[in-house]
Amino acid sequence: MIARCGRCGATIEVSGAGRFQCPACGTTNQVSPAAAEPPAVSEVVPPVESAPPAARVRCPGCDFEFIVGEVDSAICPNCREEVTVDQ
């Protein structure tokens, strides 16, 4: 099991619950029995599906690129010119 020193943040390989001394700074740390147990299956969080990338457009007036939603046209946040969105 990998533990992290509470003082300097060094990572240390420990066998489980109990006290250990950090080899980097000498601080005595303690790993609780609950922290030493692997998480239960019900506590494992499934990976979150990422959203598709947002559409980007480039303003023909000032060459500024920005993100838009599902719209036909948008106002450039840099120069206020109306930009047609080609989806």
Side-chain angles (χ1 to χ4, degrees), residues 15-72:
S15 59
R19 290 178 169 241
F20 65 93
Q21 187 173 14
C22 175
C25 69
T27 303
T28 301
N29 293 274
Q30 182 163 347
V31 175
S32 67
E37 295 175 7
V41 175
S42 62
E43 295 177 15
V44 176
V45 179
V48 177
E49 293 182 24
S50 61
R56 299 179 76 88
V57 296
R58 185 173 300 278
C59 176
C62 68
D63 207 36
F64 183 75
E65 188 174 324
F66 58 100
I67 297 173
V68 295
E70 296 179 10
V71 294
D72 294 327

